[in-house]
Amino acid sequence: MSGIGAAAPVAVDHGTYFFLSYAHSPPMLEDPRLDPDKWVKVFFDDLSAAIRGQIAAPDDRQVGFFDAQLSSGADWEETLTTALGNTQVFVPLYSPAYLSNSWPLGELEAFRRRLKASSISEKYRHIVPVLWIPLPSWDQTAETREALELAGDVTGYAENGLRALCMLASYRSAYREVLSRIATEVTQIAQRHPLPASVVPKVAEARPTSRADAQFVVVVAAPTRAEVPAERAPGVYAERSEQWRPFGQDQALPAAKYVASTAERLGLATHVTSFADAGDVMARCPSVLLVDPWIVSDSAGEHDLALVLKRLPRWVIPLVVLAKDDPLAAPAGNRFADRVARMLDRANRPPARRVTQLSEFVQIMPELVTEARRQFLKNAPVVPSDRPRVRRPQLGRPETSGGSNTFQVQKRTDD
């Protein structure tokens, strides 16, 4: 997901050759600015170029869809749904993370439903799976075996997956061979058995995640439309706090929805709530707390937020959002933001990050979600089991520890 918000807006071409589906990686803790899905982007660009070469298309022709192209203010889910309904071939990058992540599996299921409803021949050839990162030999699935059919005979592909072939200069020829086969398959299927555009279900069409089932929570501390001055920027506030749009008309979705989409793409079932209705949910789940400084513009809101901050667990990451283009941001909003900062200090919390631009808000979301999850795993109390502990037999001496395999990566170099 890294990179979303950094690119220019992209329109969905009615008839793109392929939709690239992959499991988003959490940001790297040592440097969140690095793109953890860099090699997915490299493969997307290489496959697009290979297909353009086979169909003699100009270099600027959009032949594939890749969600890192989406603009920061876009309705991600709506754009993905449109792309799934218009693309010719679905290209999933299978990996252990893909096969355990509800978001990419939801993309795959949505496309399968489109194929099931279609009357064309060879319909299931419109899914061209790729073995991106191999699974252990004892954990193979029908999907991974299918991904081996196209290039299982190419050196290194079955053992290491296409990601390794893409990364390592020593596998350059093998990578190009697999790339050519995928491009040929996609091109032939799209041209010989064209798939009519159709409506597909949304990836997250299932009912919203309940409080009880949540693995991640987005909590919004923002006023409603009735609780702020009438001169505040139009389109920012709504009837419910969860519908708050701090950047107004620049964003297609409420701020909480962007955070929830990020967490869901990282494989976490996510629940959205206002801080007034949160109850004890933040005590049980990693969370991001979105704070509109205008929540402390009246004494009641300030009192309620102070109570929340006083008992805020370490795994709840607060984020203060104040759009710099808001005409009232400078004289009043910044003053309220400083007041929130002092409240956090009195609650013995580290200073909260403050964002003022939509692109900045979107870009740091994977980092905040990952940090909240990390803090939860590190600090959440372990619920003791009622069952008696049974000492398991151990192989070998107690002091013996297993070794680890280290995978050394060569830098990819140009020819």
Side-chain angles (χ1 to χ4, degrees), residues 196-276:
S198 58
V199 176
V200 299
K202 288 189 175 182
V203 174
E205 192 179 53
R207 60 179 173 80
T209 302
S210 69
R211 184 187 302 261
D213 295 334
Q215 298 171 306
F216 194 89
V217 178
V218 183
V219 182
V220 183
T224 63
R225 184 185 295 127
E227 297 169 337
V228 292
E231 65 270 20
R232 292 288 283 124
V236 172
Y237 298 102
E239 294 182 3
R240 296 181 58 82
S241 298
E242 300 95 310
Q243 298 170 325
W244 171 52
R245 285 175 163 86
F247 303 100
Q249 302 304 320
D250 290 339
Q251 57 185 111
L253 299 172
K257 182 62 176 175
Y258 286 105
V259 187
S261 293
T262 299
E264 287 165 356
R265 285 164 148 188
L266 292 173
L268 301 172
T270 303
H271 178 70
V272 176
T273 183
S274 69
F275 86 116

Side-chain angles (χ1 to χ4, degrees), residues 294-313:
W294 281 81
I295 194 71
V296 301
S297 61
D298 67 79
S299 57
E302 182 173 359
H303 176 265
D304 292 344
L305 182 62
L307 290 179
V308 170
L309 297 181
K310 186 176 181 179
R311 57 177 185 268
L312 209 62

Side-chain angles (χ1 to χ4, degrees), residues 57 81 86 101-102 104 194 330 393:
T81 301
N86 288 315
N101 189 319
S102 61

Side-chain angles (χ1 to χ4, degrees), residues 15-231:
T16 53
Y17 274 70
F18 71 99
F19 180 108
L20 189 64
S21 176
Y22 64 104
H24 289 261
S25 302
M28 303 175 186
L29 294 177
E30 61 272 17
D31 190 348
R33 295 170 299 177
L34 297 176
D35 184 355
D37 293 315
K38 168 188 174 181
W39 297 105
V40 176
K41 174 65 165 59
V42 170
F43 171 67
F44 174 82
D45 289 342
D46 289 346
L47 181 56
S48 296
I51 290 174
R52 281 194 292 265
Q54 292 193 8
I55 64 175
D59 291 344
D60 60 350
R61 163 75 189 277
Q62 180 191 344
V63 295
F65 180 88
F66 177 46
D67 64 11
Q69 298 170 308
L70 297 178
S71 65
S72 54
D75 183 335
W76 297 341
E77 190 174 346
E78 185 65 33
T79 306
L80 287 172
T81 301
T82 302
L84 283 167
N86 288 315
T87 194
Q88 288 295 315
V89 180
F90 187 87
V91 180
L93 302 184
Y94 287 149
S95 66
Y98 192 105
L99 298 174
S100 62
N101 189 319
S102 61
W103 187 273
L105 289 176
E107 294 175 342
L108 177 58
E109 178 59 25
F111 191 79
R112 280 175 171 165
R113 291 188 189 183
R114 180 184 169 200
L115 293 180
K116 185 176 181 180
S118 173
S119 60
I120 66 168
S121 61
E122 305 285 346
K123 63 174 66 177
Y124 290 104
R125 287 187 62 192
H126 284 260
I127 298 177
V128 178
V130 173
L131 185 65
W132 189 242
I133 299 175
L135 274 68
S137 58
W138 61 85
D139 199 22
Q140 294 295 319
T141 66
E143 288 84 359
T144 56
R145 286 191 291 271
E146 184 182 3
L148 287 173
E149 291 180 3
L150 188 66
D153 59 322
V154 177
T155 302
Y157 177 71
E159 297 83 1
N160 302 314
L162 190 61
R163 181 175 181 268
L165 272 59
C166 180
M167 294 170 63
L168 303 178
S170 58
Y171 283 116
R172 178 66 61 83
S173 61
Y175 173 67
R176 287 177 171 168
E177 173 62 26
V178 179
L179 183 70
S180 176
R181 293 188 188 186
I182 297 171
T184 299
E185 184 72 8
V186 169
T187 301
Q188 290 181 351
I189 288 297
Q191 293 181 340
R192 297 177 182 177
H193 306 281
L195 183 64
S198 58
V199 176
V200 299
K202 288 189 175 182
V203 174
E205 192 179 53
R207 60 179 173 80
T209 302
S210 69
R211 184 187 302 261
D213 295 334
Q215 298 171 306
F216 194 89
V217 178
V218 183
V219 182
V220 183
T224 63
R225 184 185 295 127
E227 297 169 337
V228 292
E231 65 270 20

Side-chain angles (χ1 to χ4, degrees), residues 241-397:
S241 298
E242 300 95 310
Q243 298 170 325
W244 171 52
R245 285 175 163 86
F247 303 100
Q249 302 304 320
D250 290 339
Q251 57 185 111
L253 299 172
K257 182 62 176 175
Y258 286 105
V259 187
S261 293
T262 299
E264 287 165 356
R265 285 164 148 188
L266 292 173
L268 301 172
T270 303
H271 178 70
V272 176
T273 183
S274 69
F275 86 116
D277 298 328
D280 66 345
V281 69
M282 288 186 287
R284 297 184 284 103
C285 289
S287 311
V288 166
L289 173 64
L290 299 177
V291 181
D292 176 8
W294 281 81
I295 194 71
V296 301
S297 61
D298 67 79
S299 57
E302 182 173 359
H303 176 265
D304 292 344
L305 182 62
L307 290 179
V308 170
L309 297 181
K310 186 176 181 179
R311 57 177 185 268
L312 209 62
R314 290 179 177 271
W315 50 84
V316 179
I317 308 298
L319 178 69
V320 178
V321 186
L322 185 65
K324 71 174 184 178
D325 294 332
D326 187 331
L328 295 181
N334 285 324
R335 186 170 70 251
F336 294 142
D338 292 339
R339 187 179 301 175
V340 172
R342 291 193 296 271
M343 293 168 65
L344 282 163
D345 183 62
R346 289 195 295 270
N348 295 318
R349 292 285 304 196
R353 295 184 65 166
R354 187 186 302 187
V355 297
T356 61
Q357 299 181 59
L358 178 58
S359 59
E360 180 187 11
F361 173 80
V362 173
Q363 287 171 344
I364 68 168
M365 272 308 119
E367 178 186 346
L368 296 189
V369 171
T370 301
E371 177 61 16
R373 177 67 172 158
R374 187 179 73 87
Q375 290 294 340
F376 181 79
L377 294 175
K378 179 180 178 182
N379 296 294
V382 177
V383 179
S385 172
D386 294 332
R387 293 177 298 179
R389 295 184 64 183
V390 177
R391 184 175 180 84
R392 295 178 180 272
Q394 296 182 344
L395 298 176
R397 293 178 297 174

